Amino acid sequence: MDNIILGIESSCDDTSAAVIADGLLLSNVIASQGVHEEYGGVVPELASRAHQQNIVPVVDAALRRAGIDRKQLSAIAFTRGPGLIGSLLVGTSFAKGLSLGLRVPLVDVNHLHGHVLSHFIREKADDEVPEFPFLCMLVSGGNSQLIVVRSPKDMEIIGRTIDDAAGEAFDKCAKVMGLPYPGGPHIDRLAAEGDPEAFRFARPRIPGLDYSFSGLKTSFLYTLRDNLRTDPDFVERRKADLAASLQAAIIDILLGKLSKAVDATGVATVAIGGGVSANSGVRNAVADFCRQKGIKAFIPERRFTTDNAAMVAIAGYFKYLDRDFCPYDSVPYARVEI
């Protein structure tokens, strides 16, 4: 093993560490934070404190499971942003200290690049990965983007959300339905039991390849308000239908722009990434779309859709091969695009 990368992810509420050797994943450890559930969303101060408690045991577990001694590491890769500044500071500071202590290079990773490059995480040498160029639909709680990926360091955003992201639409609508945080997985589960044509929610009319989900969210809220006036048990009785109709609307918006992007770029491969790519309806819809178009689809394993250090490690691996290292005076950033 020549190139061994330790990846560290701490952008939000999951502390994760992973080890990749010569492009192959050896370990990926994630410590999730249940403390946020009672608040209905991530509390930044609680998240950063939990990262401080978790980062040492998580990194230690990742090295042990990989069978790697820290002295064998070639570089330390870490998420520099975007994300919660307090959480990012924990991972950034730990990565800098470990890099200095071991005298190995430091590699900073854009969290969004990690999601895009998660398709290059291999556990076996013959695992299939996308060929360049390909089109990636990145859908998460904070981002909805269409990206032409020409190489690990050449990515062009050709479409983005102008307001809410797809994940926000799932989570915020789930919250007003009284579903636990995070709401996306609960919508996914309920949608399988409901009628996707029971309700018709607004679709945006945004030209080009940009997304919008705020109108859909408002339409959903108005539907609840109008029906709750005459039927206090409306949400409880129609949860499955509401979830199925909401999911169908979000998929319709996503696939409409994806279809336009495929036609505009002429790519032969489509990949999806980000937390919303764990949604069953989205996964099935993209797979069906690609079959109909006669193009190849890359849909990540669910464990690589949410925040994880394996994607940080593989993105860091590509930067390490290019000798694209990070200076020690670099600071984390809350917001950035590809």
Side-chain angles (χ1 to χ4, degrees), residues 245-272:
S245 299
L246 173 67
Q247 180 167 287
I250 292 174
I251 291 171
D252 188 28
I253 295 169
L254 290 172
L255 268 290
K257 297 295 186 177
L258 179 62
S259 180
K260 287 184 178 181
V262 168
D263 292 341
T265 58
V267 295
T269 302
V270 164
I272 58 173

Side-chain angles (χ1 to χ4, degrees), residues 325-338:
F325 302 141
C326 175
Y328 288 106
D329 61 357
S330 297
V331 296
Y333 45 79
R335 293 183 180 276
V336 73
E337 292 186 341
I338 287 290

Side-chain angles (χ1 to χ4, degrees), residues 173 176-177 201 219-229 234-235 242:
C173 291
V176 299
M177 288 172 62
F201 301 122
S219 175
F220 184 89
L221 293 175
Y222 282 166
T223 297
L224 263 61
R225 183 200 63 181
D226 293 344
N227 282 277
L228 284 170
R229 285 173 174 171
F234 169 73
V235 173
L242 286 166

